[in-house]
Amino acid sequence: MAMIETEIRAPGFAADLMIDGLVRAIGAILVRHESLPLVDDSSRIHLSPVRLARVIDFIESRLDEEISLADMATVAGLSAFHFSRVFKMATGETPYHFLGSRRLGRARSLLLNSELPLAELALSCGFASQSHFTAAFTKAMGMPPGRYRKQIAD
C-alpha cells in the first residue's frame, strides 16, 4: 500500500503499470486469504472427558425421570445446539439415542435380575408406559420383554 501511495504522490516512469501491478498483487493476496477455511465451532467447542462423564452420570442417576436435551446441555455447560453436536462427536450417538439405549440396558438388567411387573419396570426405566416400553424393547431386541424374560429364565 505504501508503494502505491508513493507512485500516486510522485509518479515515475510507467507509474500506471506499477500501480496496476501492485493492485493486482494485493487482490491476489486477499483472494488467497479469503479462500482459507475458517475455523468452525466444531473444532473449538468440544466435550471434555470430565464433562462427558458428568453428563453420563446425570443420565444414569435419572433414567427413571424425564430428561431433556436442555437438562443434559446444562450439566455439560453448553447450549443445547452445541451440546447435541459435540455429544454425538464424543459418543457416536445422539443424546436421544444414547438415553434410549441406556434405558433399554437398564430394562434388560431388571428383566434378568428382578421380578418387577413389566408396567413397573417400564416406569422405573423412564418409559412413559408399558406399551411404549414394549414397542421400544421389541424394536431393539427383536422380541417383546415378556418373551425375553421367559427365554432368559429357561
Side-chain angles (χ1 to χ4, degrees), residues 122-151:
L123 294 176
S124 70
C125 293
F127 292 95
S129 65
Q130 181 179 343
S131 63
H132 178 229
F133 166 60
T134 300
F137 192 90
T138 302
K139 182 177 180 181
M141 300 301 294
M143 69 178 74
R147 188 182 318 155
Y148 180 84
R149 180 182 262 174
K150 286 179 188 174
Q151 282 187 352

Side-chain angles (χ1 to χ4, degrees), residues 2 13 24 45 47 61 84 99 134:
F13 176 73
R24 286 177 192 268
I45 298 173
L47 192 58
S61 68
S84 184
L99 177 60
T134 300

Side-chain angles (χ1 to χ4, degrees), residues 53-74:
R54 193 179 314 141
V55 171
I56 292 172
D57 289 344
F58 174 80
I59 290 169
E60 292 290 341
S61 68
R62 291 172 176 76
L63 280 177
D64 60 334
E65 301 173 17
E66 187 175 320
I67 302 173
S68 70
L69 180 63
D71 295 334
M72 292 183 269
T74 300

Side-chain angles (χ1 to χ4, degrees), residues 76-144:
L78 297 169
S79 71
F81 173 76
H82 285 106
F83 172 74
S84 184
R85 287 188 315 126
V86 297
F87 186 87
K88 184 169 183 173
M89 288 185 341
T91 64
E93 293 183 285
T94 65
Y96 173 81
H97 285 107
F98 184 87
L99 177 60
S101 66
R102 291 299 175 132
R103 285 182 169 156
L104 287 170
R106 179 177 283 176
R108 281 193 307 274
S109 175
L110 289 174
L111 284 168
L112 296 174
N113 302 314
S114 78
E115 295 298 321
L116 279 175
L118 292 180
E120 275 185 57
L121 191 143
L123 294 176
S124 70
C125 293
F127 292 95
S129 65
Q130 181 179 343
S131 63
H132 178 229
F133 166 60
T134 300
F137 192 90
T138 302
K139 182 177 180 181
M141 300 301 294
M143 69 178 74

